[in-house]
Amino acid sequence: MSEDSREPSGFFEAETSAETVAASFDGAPDERLREILTALVRHAHAFVKDVGLTAEEWSEGIRFLTGTGQKCDATRQEFILLSDVLGVSMLVESLNNPADGRCTEATVEGPFHLVDSPARELGDTIDETGGSGEPCLVTGRVTDTSGQPVAGARVDVWQADADGFYDVQRPGEIPERNLRGLFTADADGRFWFRTVVPRHYPIPTDGPVGALLRATGRHANRAAHIHLQVSAPGVRTLTTHLFADDSPYLDSDAVFGVKASLIRPFAPTDDAARAAGYGLPNPFRHVDFPITVRRM
């Protein structure tokens, strides 16, 4: 009998370590919890054996995870950031929202959706700073997979400013809830709002995740984007991004969040009458982002 096929003795042995530990969960009353923990143990033990992990390396890994937790606070979630840069967040999103060619593709929520977005009227600006950045009009329409409008859909948006910072990153310097807004689509599923053109930016690098990126020679930059989360009764909530087609890092986004179907041109627009109608200076940039969601 090979070592791999040996039955666990009940005592801990390296050859049957995963089986011994997994068996300890056999009495777990929650079947799904038992399934997840059993698989986690099997993969974790296989990883340790595969790389020949040393005691010093394991201690360093524990210190890294401890530091990740210590970096978290009310406005910073370092574990989400870690999940993002390892591609796990995108994998979970992709598995739970498989691309079918009919619905708008999903992406990661990211670590900065930590406050309630202020309710705003259609056409309002989400820029509380009074004009820093290139003015931009965002329009869109929420429909279901049959093309019918989702009247009254809630469209939650948030983005970084023209310098690449979210409000929660610079409290006291950036107005609270700047570049955030919760809009209610009209009877035809349409929404529109004023903002500034998003800019590419680095994810926070002053914590363990930043150290990981530096140690592996990876950059920390995200392609320019606007976050959108769309919800409505009877509709599956969609979390996605709108990416600017002229942004760098589209092909090397630090959190692997870019999907080709979500890239749009932010078109330069020189139309004084239209600008005046939307309360924008002329010229401005305009992007249209139709969104298709799935009814439950």
Side-chain angles (χ1 to χ4, degrees), residues 44-275:
H45 284 232
F47 160 73
V48 170
K49 294 174 183 179
D50 183 44
V51 302
L53 200 68
T54 68
E56 182 180 350
E57 289 165 341
W58 182 234
S59 294
E60 181 58 32
I62 291 174
R63 284 192 291 271
F64 175 84
L65 293 175
T66 300
T68 300
Q70 290 171 337
K71 196 64 179 177
C72 298
D73 58 31
T75 59
R76 173 78 172 265
Q77 233 304 345
E78 192 78 358
F79 271 111
I80 291 180
L81 203 60
L82 178 60
S83 173
D84 288 350
V85 303
L86 294 179
V88 177
S89 299
M90 273 302 298
L91 178 58
V92 172
E93 284 289 348
S94 297
L95 291 175
N96 283 273
N97 300 281
D100 60 6
R102 299 194 303 161
C103 293
T104 300
E105 291 193 271
T107 58
V108 295
E109 182 176 86
F112 294 116
H113 192 220
L114 300 174
V115 298
D116 293 329
S117 296
R120 303 187 192 270
E121 297 296 324
L122 293 173
D124 279 355
T125 182
I126 61 174
D127 179 18
E128 301 281 359
T129 64
S132 62
E134 192 173 1
C136 180
L137 172 67
V138 179
T139 60
R141 184 173 184 238
V142 183
T143 60
D144 62 19
T145 53
S146 66
Q148 295 302 305
V150 181
R154 290 160 58 90
V155 182
D156 190 359
V157 300
W158 66 102
Q159 68 173 88
D161 65 16
D163 295 320
F165 291 98
Y166 289 84
D167 55 347
V168 295
Q169 291 180 284
R170 287 187 167 180
E173 297 179 47
I174 300 174
E176 187 178 1
R177 291 177 173 77
N178 184 54
L179 293 175
R180 298 177 186 270
L182 180 61
F183 296 90
T184 301
D186 68 13
D188 197 36
R190 298 189 183 277
F191 64 92
W192 60 96
F193 59 91
R194 291 170 288 153
T195 184
V196 295
V197 175
R199 183 187 183 277
H200 64 275
Y201 62 88
I203 61 174
T205 58
D206 59 338
V209 172
L212 173 64
L213 294 180
R214 288 188 292 275
T216 55
R218 284 178 54 184
H219 73 73
N221 293 299
R222 294 226 55 204
H225 61 275
I226 298 173
H227 295 263
L228 300 97
Q229 190 171 84
V230 181
S231 60
V235 164
R236 185 167 184 170
T237 297
L238 170 73
T239 301
T240 192
H241 287 19
L242 163 59
F243 290 96
D245 70 345
D246 58 355
S247 174
Y249 308 112
L250 287 169
D251 60 351
S252 62
D253 184 73
V255 307
F256 309 98
V258 179
K259 295 187 177 181
S261 66
L262 305 178
I263 302 172
R264 293 288 190 280
F266 283 62
T269 304
D270 187 357
D271 186 332
R274 191 177 183 203

